[in-house]
Amino acid sequence: MSFRDLHKPGQPFVLANAWDMGSARVLAGLGAKAIATSSAAYAFTRGLPDGGHVSRDDHLAHAQDLMTAVDVPVSGDFEDGFGPDPETCAETVRLSGEIGLAGICIEDTIGASERVYDFDLAVERVRAASAAARSLSGDFFFVARADGVMTGGYDMEEAIRRVQAFDAAGADGIYVPLPPDLIALKRIVAATSKPVNVLAAGPITKHSYAEFAAAGVARISLGSALARVTHRAMIETAQDVLGGDFTGLQAAMSGGKVDAFLAKGAPS
């Protein structure tokens, strides 16, 4: 099944965000139908905070690593497209298509800040990226993100306005991270004819897959949450170990089991 065909409103698939080749392969071995990069999780592997600290070339190279690790489609989490102007967003799409990514998402926040691009510029950026996606020789699924609700840059009314404009500008999918509740998520789905991604993070994780499906969601991504769960386990266990208590290491999975999942997720 193609990456585009996985996006079925009411029958969402989990887009599993990985941070290195090993995590991508384990997730594929566990049955993930598609893998995505995570800008934050990848930054963590570089010893950097999230947002604007890793270059586009590095993100593309990282995405290529994940693509070589698995057989399933890989999508890129590419921040604000790595520049403010529409042509930069379009070039990011073209470069992503050239290396074989199945799609990417681009947000409407400015670099690493909580500020957002003005409405008109945000729409032009989506229009340019969407046109670039259509010009590629292969199928490419471009998702436009409206991040202002998550960052505090705007309210739900503005998010709906942007969702509708991004839809009209040609985006293949829509993504509003961290709406305040399930009612708001349903408003987002109702506002667009395009497949909607929900981020499984924060308070919205109290809802089930069945509830997301009933809301009409087409895709559930994990962002950096799985990586941060991993970091929590490492940090809390390491704190105990460095304090002289090694019992937490008894919870470690055997090397043989890890190897088995790596082998299961490897390209055939």
Side-chain angles (χ1 to χ4, degrees):
M1 183 178 294
S2 74
F3 186 59
R4 182 178 298 274
D5 289 342
L6 289 173
H7 294 77
K8 297 178 179 179
Q11 301 177 53
F13 74 100
V14 174
L15 180 61
N17 298 78
W19 53 93
D20 60 14
M21 295 174 71
S23 60
R25 191 163 284 179
V26 167
L27 289 167
L30 287 166
K33 296 178 180 178
I35 299 294
T37 68
S38 162
S39 60
Y42 176 48
F44 299 160
T45 70
R46 303 285 298 271
L48 297 168
D50 182 25
H53 299 278
V54 181
S55 72
R56 178 169 66 185
D57 286 347
D58 284 343
H59 274 287
L60 288 166
H62 169 59
Q64 285 181 296
D65 284 342
L66 301 195
M67 290 165 57
T68 64
V70 297
D71 272 338
V72 299
V74 176
S75 183
D77 172 24
F78 283 170
E79 301 182 352
D80 72 342
F82 306 107
D85 58 282
E87 177 50 37
T88 299
C89 293
E91 180 67 8
T92 297
V93 168
R94 286 191 289 269
L95 292 170
S96 299
E98 287 172 4
I99 66 170
L101 280 171
I104 64 171
C105 61
I106 291 179
E107 58 203 43
D108 62 352
T109 51
I110 300 174
S113 72
E114 296 179 354
R115 295 175 296 135
V116 296
Y117 288 106
D118 291 340
F119 177 84
D120 289 342
L121 178 56
V123 174
E124 285 305 310
R125 284 160 44 83
V126 171
R127 183 172 290 112
S130 300
R134 300 293 77 76
S135 72
L136 294 168
S137 59
D139 189 33
F140 190 88
F141 197 86
F142 171 68
V143 174
R145 288 178 52 155
D147 277 27
V149 172
M150 179 174 67
T151 66
Y154 48 72
D155 60 14
M156 272 297 301
E157 296 306 316
E158 177 64 11
I160 296 298
R161 179 185 180 218
R162 292 189 179 220
V163 162
Q164 293 173 333
F166 293 169
D167 181 335
D172 295 304
I174 298 295
Y175 183 2
V176 182
L178 300 187
D181 50 40
L182 199 62
I183 294 173
L185 177 60
K186 291 178 180 179
R187 285 189 65 198
I188 294 163
V189 173
T192 177
S193 63
K194 306 295 175 62
V196 171
N197 181 98
V198 65
L199 175 64
I204 206 155
T205 55
K206 69 183 180 182
H207 296 290
S208 66
Y209 175 92
E211 289 176 295
F212 291 140
V217 166
R219 186 171 96 183
I220 304 166
S221 63
L222 310 181
S224 63
L226 192 58
R228 288 183 285 108
V229 167
T230 303
H231 275 74
R232 177 178 180 174
M234 177 185 69
I235 290 168
E236 292 182 351
T237 303
Q239 284 175 329
D240 290 340
V241 166
L242 294 172
D245 180 358
F246 300 93
T247 56
L249 296 176
Q250 295 172 8
M253 180 176 283
S254 72
K257 286 186 178 180
V258 175
D259 290 346
F261 282 115
L262 290 170
K264 190 174 182 180
S268 57

